[in-house]
Amino acid sequence: MIPLKNASDVNKMKEGGKILHEALKSLENEAVVGMSLLELDRLASDFILKNNAKPSFLGYENFPNSICTSVNSVVVHGIPDEYILKDGDIISIDAGVFYKGFHTDSAITFGIGKIDKKALDLIDTTKKSLNEAIKLVRPGIRLGDISFCIQDYVEKKGFGIVRELVGHGIGHNVHELPQIPNYGKKGSGIELEEGMVLAIEPMVTEGDHHIKMSDDGWGVETKDGKLSAHFEHTVAVVKNGSIILT
Ligand code: MG
Ligand code: MG
C-alpha cells in the first residue's frame, strides 16, 4: 500500500523541503579544509532546529547524529565523527527534515578544495543521472523507467551503480513504499500515480559497484575502496509531471 499525499500534504512537504535544501546549501558553502564532520553535523542541526523543524535521522533506528557524512569511499550512512576534511576529499551529505508532520530527504556530494577530474566526473554523472530520472516522473510511467534511466546513464559513463540500497516513498515516515532501485528494466514495476512522493537517490561508484559495511556498523563503503557519490531529491508526482520538493 503506497500512501498518497493530497495538495495540502505536498505543500507542507514543500515547506520542509525548502528548509532541507537551504540546510544542504549552507553546508556546501561552509565545508572547507580543516573542518570536522561533527562541526558539519552541528551546523545542520542548528539550522534545522532554528527553522522549527527536526532532523529526521537523529535517533532513527538509533542513528546518533542529524546528518550522514560519507567521505570518499563511503557510499552512504557515514556517522559524523572527528575526521577533519582535507584537500581533495569528496563528501556526500545526506539529511532529512521533519516539518508539519512530514519528512523530506535529500543528499548532495561535493569536493573539498581541489579534486581530480575523475572525482568531478563521478559527482557530475551522479547528479545528472538523478536529474534525467526526475525529468521522466509523471503519472503513468513505471517505476522501472526511473530505475533504467539512472542505471543506463551511469553505466554509459563507465561508473557503477549500487544495487543493495534503494530510493523510497516518503511522507509521515522517512521510508515508505515503494522501493526504488537504481537499476532495472524499462516498463517494469508499478505505475506512478498523482500524490506519490518519492525519494530518488542514485548511489554511484568510481569502480566496481559492490559494497561492504564499515566497521562502525552504519557506514556502507565500496568494496574496492574507490570513490562513491550520492545525490537525492524528494519528488512529488503531480497531475502534469513532478515537483522537486528539496
Ligand atoms: Mg537520504
Ligand atoms: Mg533516502
Side-chain angles (χ1 to χ4, degrees), residues 140-192:
I141 71 155
R142 299 270 175 177
L143 212 50
D145 298 336
I146 296 174
S147 307
F148 173 83
C149 172
I150 292 171
Q151 180 181 21
D152 186 55
Y153 190 90
V154 165
E155 290 183 346
K156 277 185 178 150
K157 300 279 183 185
F159 293 115
I161 190 81
V162 171
R163 268 54 166 183
E164 292 87 343
L165 299 156
V166 295
H168 49 94
I170 183 165
H172 291 307
N173 301 292
V174 180
H175 295 112
E176 298 182 352
L177 290 173
Q179 292 199 337
I180 310 168
N182 293 303
Y183 67 100
K185 287 196 178 71
K186 252 187 212 177
S188 68
I190 58 143
E191 198 173 294
L192 299 197

Side-chain angles (χ1 to χ4, degrees), residues 125-138:
T125 297
T126 311
K127 187 176 192 172
K128 284 183 179 156
S129 73
L130 174 58
N131 291 341
E132 289 301 308
I134 290 172
K135 281 185 204 164
L136 298 176
V137 174
R138 58 181 164 74

